[in-house]
């Protein structure tokens, strides 16, 4: 049974940094297409960053230059490094993985970790 567990969220002042982790079990992050999503209260869920099987990454324009997605294959963990945080980055952050990189659907989701950025 695939399980994704996020951690690393918390409260931070604007300008600060956080590093989110997504520990995977029964799922190999090295051979997977994964992403970080976020959803603020009342807003739609948005994709923040993606990483594909080759390690290529994309980030949303709103976080470009501030957020980096990467993985540790040995530890089987996906990370999201968030720097220069802004109040508008406050949201629940979720990691997600696809069953197959040939499809666009994210089949596996973690429970989320809350990020709160104060001014």
């Amino acid at each position: 049974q695939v399980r994704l567990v996020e951690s690393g969220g918390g409260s931070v002042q604007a300008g600060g940094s956080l590093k989110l982790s997504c520990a995977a079990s029964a799922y190999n992050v090295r051979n997977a297409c994964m992403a970080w999503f976020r959803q603020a209260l009342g807003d739609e869920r948005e994709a923040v960053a993606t990483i594909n099987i080759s390690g290529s990454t994309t980030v949303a324009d709103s976080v470009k230059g501030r957020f980096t997605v990467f993985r540790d294959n040995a530890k089987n963990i996906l990370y999201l490094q968030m720097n220069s945080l802004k109040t508008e980055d406050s949201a629940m952050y979720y990691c997600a993985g696809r069953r197959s990189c040939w499809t666009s659907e994210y089949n596996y989701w973690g429970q989320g970790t809350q990020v709160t950025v104060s001014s």
Side-chain angles (χ1 to χ4, degrees):
Q1 179 178 349
V2 173
R3 191 170 182 223
L4 303 175
V5 180
E6 302 96 334
S7 61
S11 297
V12 64
Q13 287 194 321
S17 298
L18 284 173
K19 183 181 177 182
L20 306 185
S21 300
C22 173
S25 56
Y27 188 75
N28 191 335
V29 300
R30 177 172 56 186
N31 297 325
C33 290
M34 300 186 71
W36 286 95
F37 289 81
R38 68 184 180 186
Q39 186 169 22
L41 198 62
D43 289 347
E44 293 187 355
R45 184 174 60 196
E46 64 168 335
V48 174
T50 69
I51 185 168
N52 68 15
I53 194 169
S54 69
S56 296
T57 63
T58 66
V59 293
D61 287 343
S62 59
V63 304
K64 196 162 291 184
R66 301 187 297 119
F67 289 15
T68 304
V69 59
F70 60 100
R71 63 194 178 204
D72 186 324
N73 295 334
K75 294 182 179 180
N76 208 33
I77 297 175
L78 180 73
Y79 295 100
L80 183 68
Q81 177 67 47
M82 307 186 295
N83 299 327
S84 302
L85 282 161
K86 304 176 180 181
T87 56
E88 52 262 43
D89 295 320
S90 296
M92 185 71 81
Y93 283 73
Y94 301 90
C95 74
R98 298 181 187 175
R99 184 176 296 123
S100 167
C101 291
W102 292 102
T103 67
S104 59
E105 181 183 5
Y106 286 90
N107 310 97
Y108 310 113
W109 293 83
Q111 82 290 349
T113 186
Q114 179 68 42
V115 171
T116 303
V117 185
S118 59
S119 58

